[in-house]
Structure formats: structure tokens, C-alpha cells
Amino acid sequence: MPGAPAIPVEDTEVVVVGARCAGSATAAAFARAGVRVVLLDATRFPSDTLSTHLLWPGGVAELARLGALDRVTALSAPPLRTAFAAGAGHTIRSPFVPVDGIDYALCVRRTGLDAALAATAVEAGADLREGARVGELLWRGKRCAGVRYTDASGTRELRAALVVGADGRRSTVARLAGASSPRLSAPSGRDCYFAYWRDAATGWREVAAQWRDGPDLGTAFPCDDGLLLALVQPPSSVNRPGPGGAERRYREAIERIPGLAARLAGSERVGRVRSATGLVSYFRRSSGPGWALPGDAGHFKDPVTAQGIRDALHYGRRLGELAAPVLHEPDRLDAALRAWESRRLADCLDIYQWTNRLARATAMSPLEIQLYRRAMNDPELARAVTAIFSRTRDPKDVFTPALAAALAFGALREAWPSVGPVLTDLLHEARDTATDWWQSRAHHALASATCCYRAGLPHLLDG
């Protein structure tokens, strides 16, 4: 428009949109490599966000690798050194398998956690700009070349060699890059409702606990400031909760899970019930010429296995480490981004499939009941299953054909002569295993085909 003031234009090397887990990890990694990085976020820290925020030991180890663990530890969330699971009359207690010497989980509210991560990125050298909302991507031909954003001073442009969209499931960068539609997706069978409680059960302050009753699942995770995060995941409803609906569904689900209700006895609820419904797990296309999508912007798993923060930290950090050395060589940068994306797909597909099974919201099957029964008397099996959550073991390496046969034999012997439900479960398990195998084969092939850069940077890809 004639006479309109020119939009201020600034040059940098990397723009990261979103300054929470994935964004701060990415920005810190780039900054430590000597890259000029601007970190934009629409909010101002400290700021809350919808999250169940549990980190298994593998996630806590990522905080240490990022250099943020001391800041997070200062928030005084209790170390959770025991995993507890109960279902079908069986209870399992297990210590955590250490990851880089860390043998505990942490549940830290996002207000403090995200502020600590952003401060870590700033300390590393990132330029954090809060209250900055991105509205457009800038393009040079088919290559992303920066962003246009608005803050309190008006509209500004940032030109960069790489734009990183770490802006969550409803990612603006994914939408503007044409990557919103998932390549692979699975709707959850569960809704999610949670609230905080003033924890009265001091004997449980170092325990991460889960209960299953019928199709319902409930968890209790002690967190900072003497609080407890109590979450329920009942079967999903086709109807939105409506006014008061979240409160009602939360209360009713707790009543259906006696173990969780007993855990909350004497505790006082603090604040409102929060909800996440209509959840869909997915992989999106997560890289293109001059852009990439770490965190939930590119890949999301149902919260039933609490993997999101760990993956956001890990793959955000790996993105920065892998892309920094080739940032100003477009062809090599694009190949590095493809390598990063394919590695995440290869690493995460098995846990994605396992999470989707747990998110179905069905009652415990005969095989699952046998797993609980066996793990209750087999500490090594209990630790192995717990290690899946920390990503030190893959589901397929724990649930071997030998274990499957043992669980099937135990379930048939327990049910004899009424073995119909067990045989049905075995049929479903065989079908699901075949489906997962074909899906893995197709998408691991895609990962290999899109990764033409592995030979060039094996020392980075293997980290």
C-alpha cells in the first residue's frame, strides 16, 4: 500500500517457533554450536499449557543432556523411584532401570518446566522473544526463508536459513508448510481428564502409580509444590463434555477405580479439571526445504505412555546437532533434515504402535492379565516392561515370541475349559501383530528411502 511503513527486516541463521520443550531444546543445541538463533513464542513465561508432564528416567536424562536438570531440580518435584501398576487383582512394584545414571522419574508442572527450559536456551545463547506470534512463512522459490511475526511493536520479518516449527499439535508452521495432514495416524480410544490435588499421602510421594479397572485407566504422579497430578483416561465419548461435563466424567472415572480413589483419600483438589478429548496420534511430514517440525508439531503419541516431553527434548536437541554443521549448504541441510526425520520415524514407530494398543480403552485381556501375574513374581520382567517407558528397551524386544507363548499357555490353563475368550484374544493379538509388522515394514522402508545422508554424518545420527 502506498505510504505504508516498511516492515522491519532482520537476518539471523535459525528461527525456532515455539519455546517450550522441543523449541528450547532445538534452540539450545543450535546456540551451543555457535549458530545465531531467534526463539519466538506467542506467550510470555512462566506460562502453563495442557500437559500431563511426566518424565520417565529417559526424559530426565534428556534434561541433563540439555543442561537444564539443575534448574528443573530446583523446582523441588520429588524424585519418583518406584513404578507401581495394579490391574485384575495383581500389583507390581519395580525400581526404574537407570538411564545415564538417573534412576528416577519426575513430574514437574509445565509453568516451571518450560520457564526452566527457555532459560537454558537463553543461557546457551538463543535470542528469546516472547509475545511474538508468527503469521506467515517467507519463501524464496520453494525454499522456506524466514517468518513474518507480530509482537507489541508491530509486524517484523526474520530471514533465516532454517525455520523450525516447534509449535505443537496445532502447528502454524506445519499448516503454512502444507504438512498438517498426517502420513500415519490413529485415533485414541480414550479421553483424558486430570487435576491437581494437595497430596496427603506422604508414603506415596516417591511412587509413579497406575491402576486399570475395566476399560478405565487412572494414574497418580506426585509433582512440585506438594501437589499430585491425578489423571483418568476413560473410554472416549462421541459427545463433547459440555458445561460441567469434564468435572462429572473425572469424578465418575475416579469412583470406578477404587485404587486411585483410595490414593486420593484425604487429599484436597486444587483448581479445575482439565481435559483433552478427540486425541489422534500421528506422524506428519516433518521436513522440507528450509523447515523442520520437532515435538508435537511433527509427531504425537497418546499420553497413556507419557512419551511426548522426552521425544520433544531428544529430537529437538538432535535436530540442532545434526543441522548446525551444514546450515549454509542447502542441499546438505535438506538431506540432514531428511535423515533426522527418518531416524525419528524409525526410532518411534514401535513405541507409537504399543502406545496405540494401550490407548484402545478395552478391559484387560487374558494375555494382559497373565503379564501382570507373571511380572508380579518376576522382577526382571517387571523392570524390562518399565524400561520400555524410558526407551531403553523396545516393545518387540521385551514381548518376544517366547514370552507371548508363555502368556498364552498361562491364560489357557487359567481359563480351562472355558477357553473361548482366550482364543479370541489370541486371534486379535495375531491380527494386530501382523498389522503392526506390515505397517513397520512400509514405514521403515520409507525412512530408509528418505534418508540418503546417513553415511555422511554417522557420528551424529548414532547419538
Side-chain angles (χ1 to χ4, degrees):
M1 180 181 298
I7 295 175
V9 177
E10 183 181 356
D11 290 319
T12 189
E13 293 181 284
V14 174
V15 175
V16 179
V17 182
R20 295 188 185 272
C21 300
S24 287
T26 305
F30 272 117
R32 289 191 178 122
V35 172
R36 288 182 293 120
V37 54
V38 176
L39 183 57
L40 304 175
D41 202 285
T43 191
R44 295 184 179 277
F45 296 99
S47 169
D48 204 2
T49 189
L50 187 68
S51 171
T52 52
H53 56 75
L54 180 71
L55 294 102
W56 304 109
V60 180
E62 284 297 329
L63 292 175
R65 292 171 190 144
L66 190 63
L69 184 55
D70 286 347
R71 279 190 174 90
V72 175
T73 300
L75 299 172
S76 299
L80 308 178
R81 301 188 182 279
T82 301
F84 171 92
H90 305 295
T91 59
I92 305 163
R93 286 180 177 266
S94 174
F96 290 107
V97 176
V99 181
D100 292 351
I102 293 171
D103 62 354
Y104 58 90
L106 283 176
C107 187
V108 186
R109 288 177 297 166
R110 292 293 295 271
T111 303
L113 176 64
D114 292 354
L117 292 171
T120 300
V122 170
E123 182 181 62
D127 177 2
L128 173 63
R129 302 181 186 181
E130 300 169 85
R133 186 174 298 277
V134 170
E136 297 180 52
L137 297 181
L138 307 178
W139 299 90
R140 187 177 297 117
K142 293 184 178 180
R143 184 169 203 84
C144 188
V147 301
R148 180 174 289 137
Y149 72 94
T150 303
D151 62 11
S153 65
T155 300
R156 309 172 68 88
E157 287 188 358
L158 267 172
R159 294 174 179 168
L162 177 64
V163 173
V164 176
D167 47 346
R169 288 186 293 146
R170 297 176 178 83
S171 170
T172 296
V173 176
R175 175 176 56 81
L176 295 173
S180 290
S181 296
R183 285 178 162 176
L184 180 65
S185 65
S188 176
R190 298 185 182 277
D191 288 337
C192 181
Y193 301 93
F194 66 95
Y196 297 101
W197 298 68
R198 185 67 61 191
D199 195 2
T202 56
W204 285 78
R205 289 295 290 171
E206 292 191 351
V207 179
Q210 173 188 286
W211 294 265
R212 290 184 65 181
D213 276 276
D216 291 292
L217 182 147
T219 59
F221 303 136
C223 54
D224 48 304
D225 199 27
L227 297 178
L228 170 77
L229 171 67
L231 173 146
V232 296
Q233 287 191 268
S236 59
S237 172
V238 295
N239 300 316
R240 296 185 66 84
E247 173 80 32
R248 183 184 67 256
R249 294 206 75 200
Y250 183 68
R251 184 179 63 253
E252 291 173 349
I254 290 174
E255 291 171 355
R256 293 194 299 268
I257 308 173
L260 177 58
R263 171 67 178 87
L264 296 174
S267 298
E268 177 188 3
R269 210 183 80 201
V270 178
R272 63 185 178 86
V273 174
R274 305 182 183 194
S275 64
T277 60
L279 294 171
V280 177
S281 299
Y282 56 78
F283 287 91
R284 287 175 177 149
R285 179 188 173 205
S286 293
S287 68
W291 60 270
L293 302 174
D296 288 352
H299 169 50
F300 174 76
K301 288 181 286 295
D302 188 277
V304 70
T305 53
Q307 298 297 309
I309 294 177
R310 181 268 177 192
D311 280 356
L313 296 171
H314 180 80
Y315 294 104
R317 175 177 60 83
R318 300 298 292 138
L319 173 61
E321 293 170 346
L322 184 58
V326 294
L327 190 59
H328 298 292
E329 302 174 69
D331 290 342
R332 296 187 72 200
L333 173 60
D334 294 347
L337 297 179
R338 290 194 298 270
W340 166 82
E341 178 181 3
S342 69
R343 183 59 179 263
R344 182 174 66 177
L345 174 60
D347 288 350
C348 292
L349 187 56
D350 288 344
I351 192 73
Y352 167 86
Q353 292 171 334
W354 190 58
T355 297
N356 290 341
R357 290 193 183 199
L358 294 177
R360 287 177 180 162
T362 55
M364 291 178 67
S365 70
L367 293 184
E368 288 179 303
I369 294 171
Q370 284 301 310
L371 175 65
Y372 272 59
R373 184 194 306 275
R374 191 180 183 95
M376 187 170 64
N377 299 305
D378 185 346
E380 288 302 317
L381 177 59
R383 280 193 288 270
V385 174
T386 302
I388 295 174
F389 291 90
S390 280
R391 308 292 280 281
T392 57
R393 299 286 297 272
D394 289 331
K396 66 178 183 297
D397 295 332
V398 175
F399 297 104
T400 61
L403 178 59
L407 296 179
F409 178 76
L412 288 167
R413 182 178 58 186
E414 182 75 17
W416 187 266
S418 302
V419 298
V422 178
L423 295 176
T424 299
D425 188 30
L426 289 172
L427 180 62
H428 289 166
E429 185 67 24
R431 180 199 61 196
D432 294 341
T433 299
T435 299
D436 287 350
W437 184 84
W438 280 108
Q439 187 180 77
S440 296
R441 182 177 180 182
H443 287 84
H444 282 310
L446 173 64
S448 298
T450 58
C451 178
C452 60
Y453 197 64
R454 281 183 182 271
L457 289 172
H459 60 291
L460 288 176
L461 285 166
D462 292 340

